[in-house]
Every structure is written in structure tokens, then in C-alpha cells.
Amino acid sequence: MMKAMPQDAYFTEMFAQLSAIGRLQDGGTNRMALTGEDIEQRQWFKERLEDAGAVVHVDPIGNIFGVFEWMRDASCVLIGSHLDSQEHGGIFDGAYGVVAALAVGRRINGLVSEGKLHPKHNLAVVSWTNEEGARFEPSIMGSRVYTGELSMEEALRSRDLQDTSMHDALLESGWAGSESAPSAVAYAEIHVEQGTQLIESRSNIGMVTGNWAAVKMDVSIEGEQSHTGATAMADRRDALFATALLICETRNLVEEYPEDALRSSATKLRTFPHSPNIVSSHCTIHIEVRSECLSTALEAAEKLQSRFANIERRSATTVTLLHREVRESMHYWNPGLAIAEESAVESGSAAMRMKTVSGHDSVALNAVMPTIMLFVPSEGGYAHSPKELTSGSDQQQGVRMLGAVTARLVTMSSFEEV
Amino acid sequence: MMKAMPQDAYFTEMFAQLSAIGRLQDGGTNRMALTGEDIEQRQWFKERLEDAGAVVHVDPIGNIFGVFEWMRDASCVLIGSHLDSQEHGGIFDGAYGVVAALAVGRRINGLVSEGKLHPKHNLAVVSWTNEEGARFEPSIMGSRVYTGELSMEEALRSRDLQDTSMHDALLESGWAGSESAPSAVAYAEIHVEQGTQLIESRSNIGMVTGNWAAVKMDVSIEGEQSHTGATAMADRRDALFATALLICETRNLVEEYPEDALRSSATKLRTFPHSPNIVSSHCTIHIEVRSECLSTALEAAEKLQSRFANIERRSATTVTLLHREVRESMHYWNPGLAIAEESAVESGSAAMRMKTVSGHDSVALNAVMPTIMLFVPSEGGYAHSPKELTSGSDQQQGVRMLGAVTARLVTMSSFEEV
């Protein structure tokens, strides 16, 4: 019966099944990478891929590929996103795109079987491991290991807050695959927008032209443990006070740039010790600055770093940059935008061009192959929040749009000649 | 052999035995209330009290009393401190005073047995439960339950970070006693100074004349979870940024008062969620302001609270005072200072008068009975730190001083007529 189900109903049913896994009382979800809930959804996804007629391959970092192999030894067009969520996230981020790709893969496989579509490439539906980075840093892990930007060794060394390594989590979950990933010629992904541009412009599809640059920093602040009462203020070396100064600097930096030229955040603060009566001796914090322009992001990060000395002086602490990662701003594949525009007309979508501020698996793929990134609207613009919401009709429109794009991609002879 | 051991050697041996429990590699200790290490030291302490000839009583909040009962139904003079430590604390805070009291109790019991001292009261050596408040808030718990300032119900309701209640921790540890605490007529405690006044003035005993006032506040900061990149700065309601503003206000408040008229601290910060890519929705923080003068501490707390609105406005969050506790500044028992001065002469101590900024069990006892509080020097003034250090000769001098004070107290007919 499932085989005969039309695409709209199939998508709705599949998204409802997936959304039930890890669901929280407030409507949010917790399916962090390689936790019990992620293992449950991975098993569910593997079975649905097989039901849809795909052959499943799992690579060593746990990326799951469902391959519709119409031609032996042909390269694939890849479509997908990620199933993992934030610890207290929404049900759309990543999961929507994976289920949309599943529905599209199943439908296109049907069209090919019926002789209604004549592919030049195979098709693979993918869920990338640990896009969120909520449990294991860095984020966008599985897709960056796939493209070679991140080494397998560095990924496996990552440790969560309980000190479990990515290596052990993969092995214990049973999702450290032994198969090689299929080689691909192009990638398409659809995702919730995480902003309100589409809603505000009454569009229902975003076509991503490029991504913002980001500089991500882990900073350590060392002071000295002392008594919150007995120790004179002049003798304190309060790591938490220093961290507070750094958080304020990070936020206020934005004011030194034109409106929305820079975004910044300070998160994942850890303090030690954790007593009401002890001045903190040690903190670590994660800081990000983002800009449409790489040089602005780099300059802002430099500015912030140059202010460490002032913070050290005011708090008698030592502020150290532990790690810095730069995400460059890149344009997406230009011919892909033309493909998306034609697909929007075909699927009846009201599409607009836009940039993505946040990173996605497509940012990694875009560095190495022709890549198309699509957005569906987010009601209220909520992201990384249980309040994430995309209306049912927008969800369905996105599936149709991804279907139109995918049909074009699998039937193109070459991606050079577009 | 232990029975015949002179007081100096006995104290050294006992303090070494106790210090081995929960010892950390960096020289610090972790013997938080009702943890495995606390249970181990409690058992050790009970056995040492019995060896010394005391009868042990444990009350429902787990305070341990070793009573030397020379006269049936007579009230006690109480001497002691607390065995529990901070999570990553020093070996002297509390523990020194308990072992000093044990050594003094054993010696005075010997003098009474030999007919060399004629007591008017019995003597009890006490270790109060959970003075630190490092695991269960509020601090100074056991002694405040003893004096009636804190209700047993409120104490038992307290929960640690793992959500274990004080009630369950007491039951599971086996240290929820069923005996009533002995009634007392006077209390004496000796403790490390936690500052450098004694070292700087080349004194070896501090005689505490009063305690600083403190206002302790638990504050909740509510924002909204969102994406660290995709969410525009103007739309963020960042609870951690608001908390950083509050930490800075707390620290800077000190500058509005004359030098050392006010001390402040912000500690025990908890943030949620804990992801590198999520703007925090919720934080809680513990804030203290302390002053020699109660009205100054109250005024400073009011000032801080009046600034919540500005922080809310700057961060689009809600800042709420969850709980406020006021510790009043009090003078210690005036005749006790005369007793301490005579005892200093007798024991050859170089004694000076001083105040205590931090709270102690004696602050609780001082509210209800004649109380004497003594300090021994802290090298470097370290407190709530593995670096805590009191020299061996200062340790011994403190034991002699406590012995002289205790001998006076147990032989006084009345505490009114001094």
C-alpha cells in the first residue's frame, strides 16, 4: 500500500513517523548524534530507504546513503540533509530535508521504473552524520569528512561533555560503517530557512546564492580559586568575571559595524569550580562572529582577540584562544540557480534568492561539487528551537521543488555545459 | 599508646589521618557533604571520639556530637567546626577546627579524670553537617538547624545538581541520626583565617569581634532559544548575554563604595541549552554582596536589583530574583573576647582582634548563645582553594589556644556574670 501512496501523503506519513522519535513534551526534539534517539531514527531511515527500493551504504563516519542504482558504476546525484538535532531543538532542522529527499528519491525511482524519466546518473538519498555539532564538535562533520575537508582522525578524536569520543560513540552505536561512500557529481539539499525573509516576502522557496563567513573560537579563561567573601576584591582573579567581560565585548562588537554586517554569539560556557562560595578559577567559552564578508568576520575576530589583554588586565586572569576555525563565504553553483528557477516555475513555487547565515551540509559539498541549496519558510523564523515550524503546504511545496530540481539533475549529461 | 600520646603529637597524627581522606593530587580535597568521602571521614571521626572517651550522638540533620559526660544531665560547652569541604577545596577549612576540638576534648577529659580540672559543665566536640553549602544550599546548614534559624523541613528539601535531596542523601548515607542534640550553654570554634591579616601583623591567633553582613541572591534569567547565526541580532533574547551584564554590574558595584566597604561575587552559573550553536534561553546565577555594615549590604543588593530592568531592556530578557537570604552583621560575645585575651596570655599566643567576612558555624551559634570564634593564620590568605596552608607551629598554637579557652569555659559557673 505504501508503494502506491502518492508523494504528498507519503511525505506526511514519513515525517510524522520520524517526528515521533525523541519528541519532547514542549514539541521540540532531542536526537543528538549517536544517542539512543539517533540510533532509533537511523534504523527507521535505513528501513524506509530499503522499502523505497534503495540499497543502503553506511560509510565509516556513519553517513547513510540510500542508492537508487539504475546504471552500474555510474556516479550519483546526491540529495539529503541530516537527521541529528540539537539537544533541545526543533523537528524540522535537517529532518525535513532528509524526509523530503526520501520522498523525492522514491518518486523518481518510480518514474524511472515506469520509463517516464531517463536518468544519466544514479541517485542517492543521504543523511549526514552530526551536522549540528551539538554533541560532538565541530559541526558539519559527516559531510566534511565525505568531502575531505575534515580528516577522519580529527572527527574521531572529538569528545562530548561526558568525555565519550566520536570514535567510541560510532562503534558502540553500531553505525561505524565499513562501506565506501558513493561518488557524486552534484548535490541538492532543502532545509528550513531559520529566518523570516521568505515569510516576509510571501515566497515559499529560497534559492541560496551563498553562505556567510564565520569564525568560530574556543577560548579558555584562567583565574584563581578563592573565597567569595574572605578574599579581598583586589586579590581576586575571577575567571567568570573575565568571561562576562568577554561575552559583553563579543556582543557589543556588532555595534561597531553597519546594521546586520556582523552577527556574534557566546555559548557553551563551562565554569569550574561550581560552588556558590568559590570565585571561579577556570572557564571555557565558544565564540562565533559571522559576516557575509569573510574579511569582515576575520577583522572582527582579530578585534576581539586584541581586546583579550584589556580583559586580562581588568580581571587579573589569562585569556587564551584554544582553537579557531574559519568558514569562508562562498557562492553557490551559479548554473544551479538557473536550474532552481526553472524548477520553481515548473513546480509552481514563489522562489526568491537569498543567502544563508548558518552553515549546512551543502556548504561543505558546495566546496567540491555543483551544489543547490533550497529553503522552505520558517514561521516566526525560529531555529534551533522547539518552536520551529513550517506549514504543511510549505512542506509539500518544498518536496515538489526538490523533486523538480532532482529530476533535472539526474537527467543532465554534464554539469559543465549548463 | 594513643591514650598516652601528648596533645601536640596526637593532633598531628589525627590531622594527617583525616587529611588523607578525599585527598586530591594537587593537594586539595573533595569531601562534600554526604558524599562517599564525607561518609568515610564521619566514620573515622566517630571512632576517634569514642577512642577519646566520648559518647557519640548523631542528630537528625547528621550533626555529630562527642559528649564527655562528667555530670549527669548537665548542659554542655560545645567546641568544634565542620568536616565537609568544597568540591575542590583545601584541607584546613573546617577540618582543622574539628581535629583541634577533638584533641582539646581528649586532653581536657584526661585532666578531669585526673582531678586536675573541676568542670561545671560537660563538654561536647561537634562536627556540623554541610557548613560549606557546596553540594546542598544553603550553607551553615547543620548548625542553623541546631539553633532553630533554619527549619529541618527546608534543609531536607535542598537538592544538589544531580537533583538528590538532602533528605535522601542523609538517609542513604546512614547519617540521619535519631538522637537529640545535647543542649549547650556556650560555643567555641577555631578556623583558618582565610585572609592575611594575621600573617601581616605577625600574630598567630585572631579573636573575632563580629561578622560581616551578607545578602545572597539566586537570580533567574529567561530569554529565548534561537540560532547563533541565522537569528538576527535584533531578534535575540540571549540569557547568557544578560547574565554577563549582571555579572559585570555585580563586580562594578564595588567601585561605587569606599575601598573594601563592599565585596561581591557571582558564581554557580548554569546555562541552558548547552550547545555551541544555540543562543541560551535560560540561566541561573548565585550573587552575593557583603559588607561590614548590614545597611550597606542591603543597599547594594537593592541597587543591583534596581538595575535588572536596564539589563532586561538591553537583552530582551526577564531577570527575576528567585531567592534572597540575609545574614546580619553581629558582634560576638563581648565577655568571650576577655576570656580569649586571658587565654592568649596563658597559651603564649600573639592574638589580635578582627572581623570575619565569611560565614562560619559560629555565626549561627552566636545568635543564640555565648560564642567565641578564633582564627589561625592562612599562609597567602588562600581560602576555598587547594592552596590553603597553615604552618605546623600555627596549627599547634591554635590547639593550645582553644584548649585554654575551653578549660575556662567548662569551669565557669555562669556565663552571665563574666
Side-chain angles (χ1 to χ4, degrees):
Chain A
M1 197 198 82
M2 198 68 92
K3 274 211 187 296
M5 201 183 255
Q7 177 171 279
D8 281 13
Y10 175 81
F11 170 82
T12 303
E13 169 62 23
M14 290 300 108
F15 193 62
Q17 284 184 14
L18 175 59
S19 298
I21 299 172
R23 197 68 181 263
L24 303 174
Q25 290 225 327
D26 62 6
T29 194
N30 184 350
R31 302 189 299 237
M32 284 205 291
L34 303 172
T35 58
E37 292 77 12
D38 186 30
I39 292 168
E40 188 181 343
Q41 70 181 345
R42 283 168 170 269
Q43 187 57 37
W44 173 89
F45 181 54
K46 179 172 184 282
E47 289 166 11
R48 296 300 77 74
L49 284 170
E50 288 165 349
D51 292 347
V55 176
V56 174
H57 301 263
V58 180
D59 74 4
I61 195 71
N63 294 322
I64 304 171
F65 301 89
V67 183
F68 297 98
E69 197 181 26
W70 304 307
M71 290 152 290
R72 184 171 285 273
D73 295 330
S75 286
C76 288
V77 167
L78 269 178
I79 57 174
S81 190
H82 61 92
L83 286 172
D84 73 304
S85 79
Q86 292 284 333
E87 185 175 6
H88 182 230
I91 61 168
F92 292 92
D93 188 341
Y96 167 74
V98 172
V99 179
L102 169 66
V104 164
R106 170 181 165 275
R107 174 160 160 74
I108 289 187
N109 188 46
L111 292 174
V112 172
S113 308
E114 294 161 19
K116 293 178 181 161
L117 196 82
H118 303 285
K120 300 283 198 303
H121 311 278
N122 292 326
L123 178 65
V125 174
V126 60
S127 172
W128 305 106
T129 294
N130 188 33
E131 190 268 355
E132 294 291 359
R135 181 176 172 201
F136 294 103
E137 290 188 74
S139 59
I140 314 184
M141 185 181 276
S143 50
R144 287 203 283 167
V145 168
Y146 176 80
T147 64
E149 182 185 339
L150 183 70
S151 75
M152 187 70 183
E153 292 65 37
E154 187 177 342
L156 294 181
R157 267 201 307 270
S158 176
R159 290 183 173 272
D160 69 8
L161 287 174
Q162 278 68 50
D163 211 37
T164 302
S165 68
M166 183 72 191
H167 175 269
D168 291 351
L170 266 172
L171 276 187
E172 282 159 24
S173 70
W175 283 93
S178 56
E179 290 151 310
S180 57
S183 68
V185 289
Y187 177 65
E189 176 171 357
I190 193 159
H191 198 280
V192 285
E193 179 199 347
Q194 309 184 305
T196 54
Q197 286 187 65
L198 291 177
I199 296 281
E200 281 164 14
S201 67
R202 299 178 177 273
S203 303
N204 52 19
I205 293 293
M207 300 174 297
V208 177
T209 59
N211 66 281
W212 278 35
V215 181
K216 303 186 170 203
M217 293 172 278
D218 291 308
V219 180
S220 163
I221 303 96
E222 291 278 353
E224 186 173 63
Q225 199 172 317
S226 62
H227 193 292
T228 55
T231 309
M233 298 307 288
D235 294 336
R236 296 193 190 190
R237 302 178 54 211
D238 186 343
L240 183 55
F241 170 54
T243 306
L245 291 171
L246 181 57
I247 293 168
C248 293
E249 284 286 357
T250 301
R251 174 70 173 229
N252 295 337
L253 195 57
V254 169
E255 310 298 333
E256 300 172 28
Y257 290 84
E259 197 186 335
D260 212 25
L262 190 77
R263 294 184 185 174
S264 70
S265 61
T267 55
K268 208 176 179 179
L269 171 58
R270 285 188 263 193
T271 65
F272 183 82
H274 208 72
S275 163
N277 310 317
I278 301 187
V279 173
S280 302
S281 62
H282 185 209
C283 298
T284 57
I285 194 158
H286 181 80
I287 288 178
E288 298 177 1
V289 291
R290 304 190 194 224
S291 175
E292 201 166 334
C293 166
L294 175 63
S295 59
T296 302
L298 287 170
E299 184 205 78
E302 286 298 325
K303 265 194 194 179
L304 197 60
Q305 248 185 285
S306 73
R307 293 170 192 178
F308 286 4
N310 185 39
I311 293 171
E312 291 178 326
R313 195 180 48 72
R314 287 177 65 187
S315 55
T317 59
T318 306
V319 183
T320 312
L321 181 68
L322 295 179
H323 181 75
R324 195 182 87 141
E325 181 188 318
V326 176
R327 178 187 299 155
E328 295 187 15
S329 50
M330 281 186 71
H331 295 291
Y332 275 76
W333 186 43
N334 221 17
L337 290 167
I339 293 170
E341 267 161 2
E342 293 160 18
S343 302
V345 172
E346 185 187 314
S347 63
S349 305
M352 67 178 281
R353 294 184 177 214
M354 58 194 302
K355 292 219 169 182
T356 178
V357 181
S358 47
H360 297 288
D361 291 307
S362 75
V363 171
L365 275 295
N366 185 41
V368 298
M369 70 178 70
T371 294
I372 296 175
M373 182 72 188
L374 304 170
F375 280 161
V376 287
S378 315
E379 306 282 337
Y382 292 109
H384 288 182
S385 162
K387 294 184 181 170
E388 282 175 11
L389 180 65
T390 299
S391 73
S393 62
D394 284 343
Q395 291 175 42
Q396 296 293 356
Q397 191 59 39
V399 176
R400 284 192 285 273
M401 176 73 183
L402 180 67
V405 164
T406 306
R408 277 165 199 269
L409 290 175
V410 295
T411 54
M412 283 168 65
S413 323
S414 157
F415 296 97
E416 308 304 317
E417 65 189 37
V418 179
Chain B
M1 195 198 85
M2 198 67 90
K3 273 208 188 296
M5 201 183 254
Q7 176 172 278
D8 280 12
Y10 174 81
F11 170 83
T12 302
E13 169 63 23
M14 291 299 107
F15 193 63
Q17 284 184 14
L18 176 60
S19 299
I21 300 172
R23 196 68 181 263
L24 302 174
Q25 290 225 327
D26 63 6
T29 194
N30 183 350
R31 300 189 299 236
M32 284 204 292
L34 302 173
T35 58
E37 291 76 12
D38 186 30
I39 292 168
E40 187 181 344
Q41 70 181 343
R42 283 167 171 270
Q43 188 58 37
W44 173 88
F45 181 54
K46 180 172 182 283
E47 289 166 12
R48 295 299 79 73
L49 284 170
E50 288 165 349
D51 292 347
V55 177
V56 174
H57 301 262
V58 180
D59 74 4
I61 195 72
N63 295 322
I64 304 172
F65 300 89
V67 183
F68 297 97
E69 196 180 27
W70 304 308
M71 289 154 289
R72 185 170 285 271
D73 296 330
S75 286
C76 288
V77 166
L78 268 178
I79 58 173
S81 189
H82 61 93
L83 287 173
D84 74 302
S85 80
Q86 292 282 334
E87 185 176 4
H88 181 230
I91 61 167
F92 291 92
D93 188 341
Y96 167 74
V98 172
V99 178
L102 169 66
V104 164
R106 169 179 164 278
R107 174 160 160 73
I108 289 188
N109 187 48
L111 293 174
V112 171
S113 308
E114 294 161 20
K116 293 177 181 162
L117 195 81
H118 304 285
K120 300 282 198 304
H121 312 279
N122 292 325
L123 178 65
V125 174
V126 61
S127 172
W128 305 105
T129 293
N130 188 32
E131 190 268 355
E132 294 291 359
R135 181 176 172 201
F136 294 104
E137 290 188 73
S139 59
I140 314 185
M141 185 182 276
S143 50
R144 287 202 285 165
V145 167
Y146 176 80
T147 64
E149 182 186 338
L150 183 72
S151 75
M152 188 69 184
E153 294 65 37
E154 187 178 341
L156 293 182
R157 267 202 307 272
S158 175
R159 290 182 174 273
D160 68 8
L161 287 174
Q162 278 67 50
D163 211 36
T164 302
S165 69
M166 182 71 191
H167 175 268
D168 292 350
L170 267 172
L171 276 187
E172 283 160 24
S173 70
W175 283 93
S178 56
E179 291 151 309
S180 58
S183 68
V185 289
Y187 178 65
E189 177 171 354
I190 193 160
H191 198 281
V192 285
E193 179 198 347
Q194 309 184 304
T196 53
Q197 285 186 65
L198 291 176
I199 297 280
E200 282 163 14
S201 68
R202 299 178 179 272
S203 301
N204 52 19
I205 293 292
M207 300 174 297
V208 177
T209 59
N211 66 280
W212 277 36
V215 182
K216 302 185 171 204
M217 294 172 277
D218 290 307
V219 179
S220 162
I221 301 95
E222 291 278 353
E224 188 172 62
Q225 199 173 315
S226 61
H227 194 292
T228 54
T231 308
M233 298 308 288
D235 294 337
R236 297 194 189 189
R237 302 178 54 211
D238 186 343
L240 183 55
F241 170 54
T243 306
L245 291 171
L246 182 57
I247 294 169
C248 293
E249 284 286 357
T250 301
R251 174 70 173 229
N252 295 336
L253 196 57
V254 169
E255 311 297 333
E256 299 172 29
Y257 290 84
E259 196 186 334
D260 213 25
L262 190 77
R263 294 184 186 175
S264 70
S265 60
T267 54
K268 207 176 179 178
L269 171 58
R270 284 188 265 192
T271 65
F272 182 82
H274 207 74
S275 163
N277 310 315
I278 301 186
V279 173
S280 302
S281 62
H282 185 208
C283 299
T284 58
I285 193 158
H286 181 80
I287 289 178
E288 297 178 1
V289 291
R290 305 190 192 222
S291 175
E292 201 166 334
C293 166
L294 174 63
S295 60
T296 301
L298 288 170
E299 183 205 78
E302 286 297 326
K303 264 194 196 181
L304 197 60
Q305 249 186 284
S306 74
R307 293 170 191 178
F308 286 4
N310 185 40
I311 292 170
E312 290 177 325
R313 194 180 51 71
R314 288 176 65 186
S315 56
T317 60
T318 307
V319 183
T320 312
L321 181 68
L322 295 179
H323 181 76
R324 197 182 86 141
E325 182 187 318
V326 177
R327 178 187 299 155
E328 295 188 14
S329 50
M330 283 185 71
H331 295 292
Y332 275 76
W333 185 44
N334 221 16
L337 290 168
I339 293 170
E341 268 161 1
E342 292 161 19
S343 302
V345 172
E346 184 187 315
S347 63
S349 305
M352 68 178 280
R353 294 183 176 215
M354 58 194 305
K355 292 218 167 181
T356 178
V357 181
S358 48
H360 297 287
D361 291 308
S362 75
V363 171
L365 276 294
N366 185 40
V368 298
M369 69 180 70
T371 293
I372 295 174
M373 183 71 190
L374 304 170
F375 281 161
V376 287
S378 315
E379 306 282 338
Y382 292 108
H384 286 182
S385 162
K387 294 185 182 170
E388 283 175 11
L389 180 64
T390 299
S391 73
S393 61
D394 285 343
Q395 292 176 41
Q396 296 292 357
Q397 190 60 39
V399 176
R400 284 190 286 273
M401 177 73 182
L402 181 67
V405 164
T406 305
R408 277 166 199 269
L409 289 175
V410 296
T411 52
M412 283 167 66
S413 325
S414 157
F415 297 97
E416 309 303 317
E417 65 188 36
V418 179

